[in-house]
Amino acid sequence: MTHPDAAARHLRAVTGSAESVPGPVHEPGSVNTSADDHAAAEERAIVEIARARAVLPPMDATAFDCYLGSVVHEVAEFTEGDPVNVLASLIGVAGVHLGQKPHVRAGDDLHPLLVWPLIIGRTNSGRKGAGWSSAKRLAVAAAPDFMTANLRSGLTSGEGLASMFTDDPKPSGEADDLDAKPRAGGRLPAGDRRLLVFEAEWAGVMERMKRDGNSLSATLRAAWEGGDLSTMAVTARVAPESHVGIIGHITPEEFRSKVSTSDLAGGTYNRFLPVMVSRAHFLPGGQGAPDTIVKGIGAEMAERLDNGRKLGALGFTPAGNDLWRRLYVEFGTDTGDLPAVEQFISRAAPYCLRIAAIHTALDGATAIDARHLTAAAALVRYSIASARTALSNSGEAAKLARWIAAAGTAGRTRDEIRSGFYQRNRTAAEITTLLDQLREAGRVVVGKRPPAGGKGRPTEVYTAVQVPPPRD
């Protein structure tokens, strides 16, 4: 995650007033040119960024130790979006662009390189749209035709999704041509089975999936597996081939209010990769990354995507195989979380494999190496922590996390939390549950404070975990 000091560096580099950072009030018509005013605005920006990011789980920066991670580092200082948002979005786009040929096997299951990030962030401070805009601009620079013809929004029903891949009937009298490419309903380029769906309001899609008779949820589960999306409803569609990627945006409150236990148990949402995000910078007057940087990234990314599309089944290097055996056990073991969290993260192992395979394909390699898995595993672990955070009572937890963080290294004792934060309006059991959630999400750690005078039992102290900054 971007260090708050970076916000100050970027604000100094931007001319004009910091309108998005409230500061001293000036008389109408006056110009804020005071060095003190700029310093105050920068300090406010640092505080606001730190406050917003305090609710995020900690992240291992090795998630960025891959080609797409290096791309994110090149543009991170020019976007207010969270670097992990840009990374996950680029992974999702790349997996669709690479198409159906490159794949990886896990047992008898063939996994297409499809990753569906569900970007979870608050309405304003999450800056979800800013992260997608940065990723989309890079993708357009690399694959303008694909981003024009294969990017869609507006998921409504399973039949509607399947229709994107349904061949037009052969015109009467037309001769059979076994070598001819199939036509995909006139909605995708002829013979192209790649569809990238971006939904800025995933909450609306969740509402539509709950309607009686709506087959979208079942169709999405089939789409994640790749291949047949055929439906048998009144408006039946025959779509034997598909390669669908989805990137959705939602707030934590919307997700918790709209997802039910049956939704999670049904298996639709464990197809998604939850990623908690927040603002990384205040950039008033920002213009995004310079064109020279974007064009350079686009040219290299285009070459890597084109080379990766030619690959087939991906294997493992010896080092990759050894690491995968360990990760498979790690991500395939029950975590002891609440059932809702366990269900949400139950596809952590295949996601680690798919992400590592995308890294491998973009490197033009035919075998997944340990470095590809290491970067993938770091992102999956962050996703698991994101699921815990998203499904917890994050409003109350976020406030408590910020209150603990305000104490710095001194931390807060249980008695201080019960009396100072809750004014003794919560039971000890309720406080324990919330503190356990924060601890399991990696947002606080518990330590011991020696008793005054050295006699008696030590006191438990809860200290906020500082989110490590990503490299700019």
Side-chain angles (χ1 to χ4, degrees):
M1 315 298 20
T2 303
H3 195 279
D5 288 347
R9 293 200 304 272
H10 300 316
L11 279 168
R12 293 190 189 99
V14 177
T15 58
S17 63
E19 295 179 350
S20 62
V21 186
V25 177
H26 296 271
E27 293 298 324
S30 67
V31 179
N32 177 10
T33 57
S34 163
D36 289 341
D37 290 339
H38 281 299
E42 292 173 3
E43 181 62 28
R44 177 66 183 276
I46 293 171
V47 170
E48 290 300 320
I49 290 169
R51 184 175 67 86
R53 301 190 72 78
V55 304
L56 300 181
M59 181 174 185
D60 184 349
T62 57
F64 295 89
D65 290 345
C66 54
Y67 165 67
L68 290 178
S70 69
V71 167
V72 173
H73 293 320
E74 286 194 63
V75 301
E77 67 181 284
F78 304 108
T79 177
E80 293 189 352
D82 197 316
V84 74
N85 182 351
V86 183
L87 176 65
S89 299
L90 286 174
I91 289 172
V93 172
V96 178
H97 189 283
L98 287 166
Q100 296 170 292
K101 283 191 65 179
H103 63 275
V104 64
R105 282 195 174 276
D108 292 324
D109 295 324
L110 185 151
H111 284 270
L113 306 193
L114 294 173
V115 173
W116 295 2
L118 184 61
I119 306 300
I120 306 171
R122 297 183 64 84
T123 299
N124 187 20
S125 60
R127 304 304 287 150
K128 300 183 293 293
W132 166 245
S133 294
S134 297
K136 181 181 177 182
R137 186 180 174 203
L138 296 172
V140 168
D145 293 341
F146 170 81
M147 293 298 289
T148 298
N150 299 70
L151 175 62
R152 296 287 187 273
S153 295
L155 284 172
T156 303
S157 66
E159 291 76 23
L161 177 57
S163 71
M164 297 292 294
F165 305 92
T166 303
D167 293 341
D168 285 329
K170 183 179 63 178
S172 177
E174 182 177 301
D176 290 330
D177 183 359
L178 298 178
D179 295 327
K181 291 183 177 180
R183 291 181 295 276
R187 301 188 181 187
L188 290 171
D192 195 338
R193 300 304 189 185
R194 300 172 300 164
L195 174 63
L196 174 62
V197 179
F198 171 69
E199 295 289 350
E201 299 293 338
W202 187 257
V205 180
M206 294 177 74
E207 286 286 352
R208 291 191 285 275
M209 282 195 288
K210 290 179 180 294
R211 296 173 184 167
D212 287 342
N214 193 301
S215 61
L216 182 55
S217 182
T219 307
L220 289 180
R221 292 195 292 272
W224 190 82
E225 307 293 344
D228 192 353
L229 298 187
S230 301
T231 65
M232 297 179 66
V234 174
T235 53
R237 304 291 182 183
V238 179
E241 293 183 72
S242 71
H243 191 72
V244 183
I246 299 175
I247 298 173
H249 288 182
I250 196 168
T251 68
E253 294 77 16
E254 286 174 327
F255 185 74
R256 284 197 310 276
S257 68
K258 294 184 182 298
V259 73
S260 66
T261 302
S262 60
D263 291 331
L264 290 166
T268 299
Y269 285 99
N270 63 27
R271 265 77 171 178
F272 288 85
L273 187 78
V275 179
M276 290 288 294
V277 302
S278 186
R279 180 195 296 273
H281 302 296
F282 277 98
L283 297 176
Q287 300 295 309
D291 284 341
T292 52
I293 292 179
V294 173
K295 289 178 180 177
I297 291 172
E300 181 179 2
M301 190 182 298
E303 182 178 358
R304 287 175 178 260
L305 287 168
D306 289 343
N307 290 336
R309 288 192 68 189
K310 301 171 186 175
L311 300 172
L314 302 177
F316 290 93
T317 66
N321 186 62
D322 288 344
L323 179 55
W324 173 238
R325 290 170 67 88
R326 299 196 298 273
L327 292 173
Y328 185 75
V329 174
E330 175 186 342
F331 293 135
T333 302
D334 290 342
T335 61
D337 284 290
L338 296 173
V341 175
E342 289 276 13
Q343 290 158 356
F344 201 4
I345 64 177
S346 62
R347 295 183 186 269
Y351 253 135
C352 182
L353 191 59
R354 289 184 179 204
I355 295 169
I358 291 172
H359 294 332
T360 302
L362 290 175
D363 283 347
T366 58
I368 300 170
D369 196 21
R371 60 193 174 87
H372 302 126
L373 285 163
T374 299
L379 182 57
V380 169
R381 293 186 188 108
Y382 183 76
S383 177
I384 292 171
S386 293
R388 291 173 179 144
T389 302
L391 289 170
S392 70
N393 184 356
S394 63
E396 184 177 346
K399 293 177 183 177
L400 178 56
R402 289 196 294 269
W403 191 77
I404 294 174
T409 57
R412 307 280 195 183
T413 67
R414 279 178 174 267
D415 188 61
E416 289 170 342
I417 291 169
R418 188 179 182 192
S419 59
F421 185 77
Y422 284 112
Q423 304 299 310
R424 296 194 176 274
N425 289 324
R426 291 287 189 278
T427 66
E430 290 173 329
I431 293 172
T432 295
T433 297
L434 196 59
L435 286 172
D436 286 346
Q437 288 177 356
L438 289 174
R439 183 171 50 79
E440 290 169 2
R443 292 157 66 184
V444 301
V445 293
V446 61
K448 300 288 185 179
R449 179 185 296 169
K455 293 183 179 180
R457 299 175 62 182
T459 302
E460 279 191 352
V461 179
Y462 290 83
T463 308
V465 174
Q466 299 299 315
V467 177
R471 293 163 291 177
D472 281 342

